Amino acid sequence: MRHRGRNRSTTSNLDSLLDTMTNVVGILVIVLIMTQVNVADAIRRLRSSLPDVSEEQMGKLVEEVRNVDAELVLLKSPDALDASRIEEVKEEVGLLRVELEREKQEISPENEIIELISAREKSIKEETLAMDALEKKLSGLRVELETVKDLASKPPVRVRLPDPRPARDDASEVLMVCMGDRVYVIDIPAFQLIARRQLEGAGRKVVHTIEGTGDKRRTIYKRKASEKFIVDNNAGNGMAFLNLRTYPDRPNATLIIMPRPDGGESIAEVRKSDRGVIRTMMQQAFRERDYVYFYVTPDAFSTYLEARRIAEVEHNLPVGWEFIGQDIKLYKGAAGLRFEYTPPPPAPPPTGKPKPKPKPKPKPEKPNVLD
C-alpha cells in the first residue's frame, strides 16, 4: 500500500517557533531578555542623573575613605595607638568635658525654671488686673467726658448770689414743696380746718368728753381713735395726705403732711397756665410783703429753679428755700384740737433756800428765711 507523502510547505517551519512561545521555558527566556533590556536602560538613566565627578574630587573621596578605614582600625585595636595619639584623644575629651560643664552652668536647673515660670505667670496676672482696673477707670472717664460734653452743650444758667435776710414783720408765708417735676401748695390753715371738720363729723366714737359751756365749750377727743379715724378716712386734699399724732402727757397734737405722688401740678402746667392752684396762691399774696418758701427734694432742684423764677419775676414775691429728704413729711401743730392726756405728777415743793431767778434771755433775732 502506498503512503501519502508529508506536506512540506513553508508553513511547517513555524511549528518550532510556536512551540517555543507556548512553552514555559520560552516565556522565561523572553522575560529574562526584557529584564536585561530594562536594567541597561535604568543604568543609563542613573548615570545621566549623577553629577560629574572629576579625577581630583575622586581622589579626595578615596583619601577620606582610607582615613576612615585607618580610624576604624585604631578603634578596633587600641594597642596599636601610640602615645601621641592617646594624648591627642585625651586633650579632645578634656575640651569636651569643659564645654559640657559650661553648658550645664548656662542651663538653669529644673526647679529654677519652674520658679521662673511661676513668677512670670504671677507678673502676667498682676499686669492683667492692673489693665482691667485701668480699663474701668478709662470707662468712667469716658462717661464723665460725655457728661461734661452734655453740660457744655446746654445753655448757661444765670445764678444770683444768695442774700439771706429775715421777712417783714407783717409778711405771710406761702409754703410750697418741689418734688420731682411737681409743685405742691401746703396750706397749713386749710389742713388744720380739714382735721377739725373730720373729727367733728366723726361723732361720739372719737369724743372723749365736752368741757365748759357757751363760748368756752370745747370738745376733748380720744387719742388713738382720732388718729385711726384720720388715717382710715384718707384725710387731706389734692395736694397731700394728712395724718395725726397725739401725745399721752399733753393735750395738743401734731399734723403730719405728706405730698401725694400724683398730686400737685407739674412745672410745665405752672409755666403755661395762669389758672392753676400754684399761680392762684402767688397772685393772692401781697407783692413785696408776703413770701414763698420752698421745701426742695434732691430730685427737684431744676423744678425749684423754674418755680422760683415764676415767683420772683412774674409775681414779684421774695423767696426762701431749703433742702428736705425724698420721703418728705412736714410736721405742723393741730391748732384748735384738744385730746385726752394724763398730766405729769406735780413737782415736789422746794426745800431750803429758793434758787435765784435766772436772767431773762435776750429776744432771739428773726431767722433769715429769705435769700
Side-chain angles (χ1 to χ4, degrees):
M1 183 174 181
R2 188 179 178 181
H3 295 281
R4 288 183 180 180
R6 293 181 179 177
N7 188 4
R8 298 185 180 272
S9 63
T10 56
T11 57
S12 62
N13 296 331
L14 298 177
D15 292 340
S16 59
L17 178 61
L18 181 62
D19 292 339
T20 303
M21 291 179 65
T22 56
N23 192 287
V24 175
V25 176
I27 292 174
L28 292 177
V29 171
I30 294 172
V31 171
L32 179 60
I33 293 171
M34 295 301 297
T35 303
Q36 290 295 330
V37 174
N38 290 334
V39 168
D41 185 61
I43 291 172
R44 283 194 301 272
R45 289 199 303 270
L46 288 174
R47 286 182 177 178
S48 62
S49 62
L50 289 175
D52 295 335
V53 179
S54 62
E55 293 182 0
E56 183 179 357
Q57 291 175 344
M58 190 65 185
K60 289 181 179 181
L61 292 175
V62 171
E63 185 66 24
E64 289 180 2
V65 171
R66 290 174 180 175
N67 292 335
V68 171
D69 291 339
E71 293 288 340
L72 290 175
V73 172
L74 291 175
L75 291 175
K76 290 180 180 180
S77 57
D79 296 338
L81 293 173
D82 56 1
S84 61
R85 182 59 179 167
I86 293 174
E87 292 297 330
E88 184 180 350
V89 172
K90 286 182 178 181
E91 185 177 354
E92 291 179 0
V93 171
L95 293 175
L96 291 174
R97 286 178 177 174
V98 171
E99 186 177 356
L100 179 61
E101 292 296 329
R102 182 176 57 79
E103 291 180 355
K104 286 183 177 179
Q105 291 176 0
E106 291 179 355
I107 299 175
S108 301
E110 183 179 355
N111 294 335
E112 294 181 3
I113 295 175
I114 294 174
E115 292 177 359
L116 180 61
I117 293 173
S118 300
R120 292 288 176 83
E121 290 178 349
K122 184 178 179 181
S123 177
I124 292 172
K125 187 176 181 181
E126 292 175 354
E127 291 178 359
T128 303
L129 294 175
M131 188 178 296
D132 292 341
L134 289 175
E135 288 180 355
K136 291 181 180 179
K137 187 175 180 180
L138 180 60
S139 300
L141 292 175
R142 286 174 178 168
V143 173
E144 292 180 4
L145 179 61
E146 293 298 326
T147 304
V148 171
K149 288 181 179 179
D150 293 341
L151 293 176
S153 63
K154 292 182 179 179
V157 178
R158 291 184 178 182
V159 179
R160 180 176 57 82
L161 294 177
D163 180 21
R165 63 194 185 278
R168 290 173 47 172
D169 293 336
D170 57 347
S172 297
E173 180 183 73
V174 180
L175 187 61
M176 295 188 181
V177 171
C178 295
M179 184 171 68
D181 65 339
R182 308 192 74 79
V183 184
Y184 303 79
V185 173
I186 307 299
D187 190 349
I188 302 302
F191 281 109
Q192 292 172 341
L193 181 60
I194 290 172
R196 287 198 301 270
R197 288 180 176 176
Q198 287 275 344
L199 294 181
E200 288 171 0
R204 299 184 60 85
K205 59 183 177 181
V206 298
V207 176
H208 175 67
T209 185
I210 299 177
E211 296 180 348
T213 58
D215 295 339
K216 295 184 179 180
R217 177 188 174 95
R218 64 181 181 180
T219 303
I220 308 299
Y221 295 99
K222 299 177 181 178
R223 290 178 52 244
K224 296 300 181 182
S226 300
E227 291 178 355
K228 185 175 184 303
F229 183 81
I230 292 292
V231 173
D232 292 344
N233 284 270
N234 197 20
N237 56 18
M239 293 287 173
F241 296 109
L242 184 64
N243 284 349
L244 183 68
R245 177 184 292 175
T246 59
Y247 306 93
D249 57 348
R250 49 185 170 171
N252 57 343
T254 300
L255 297 178
I256 304 174
I257 304 169
M258 299 169 290
R260 296 175 181 268
D262 58 346
E265 298 176 2
S266 68
I267 191 62
E269 295 172 347
V270 178
R271 186 188 302 113
K272 293 178 181 178
S273 175
D274 291 336
R275 300 180 181 180
V277 179
I278 307 299
R279 292 276 194 173
T280 301
M281 293 297 295
M282 292 182 180
Q283 292 167 359
Q284 291 176 355
F286 286 94
R287 293 186 174 185
E288 299 182 357
R289 188 194 75 178
D290 298 340
Y291 65 94
V292 182
Y293 196 84
F294 290 98
Y295 287 105
V296 184
T297 58
D299 63 345
F301 193 71
S302 59
T303 303
Y304 155 71
L305 291 177
E306 180 62 17
R308 176 176 184 134
R309 185 195 65 79
I310 294 172
E312 287 184 328
V313 177
E314 300 184 19
H315 297 278
N316 200 23
L317 292 172
V319 174
W321 71 286
E322 68 177 274
F323 269 125
I324 194 168
Q326 195 69 37
D327 186 17
I328 179 172
K329 292 181 181 179
L330 302 179
Y331 299 88
K332 301 295 179 179
L337 295 175
R338 289 294 180 267
F339 298 88
E340 59 174 329
Y341 75 103
T342 302
T351 58
K353 187 178 179 179
K355 294 181 180 180
K357 292 183 179 180
K359 294 181 180 181
K361 296 181 179 180
K363 187 178 180 181
E365 297 181 358
K366 295 182 63 176
N368 294 327
V369 296
L370 305 178
D371 66 352

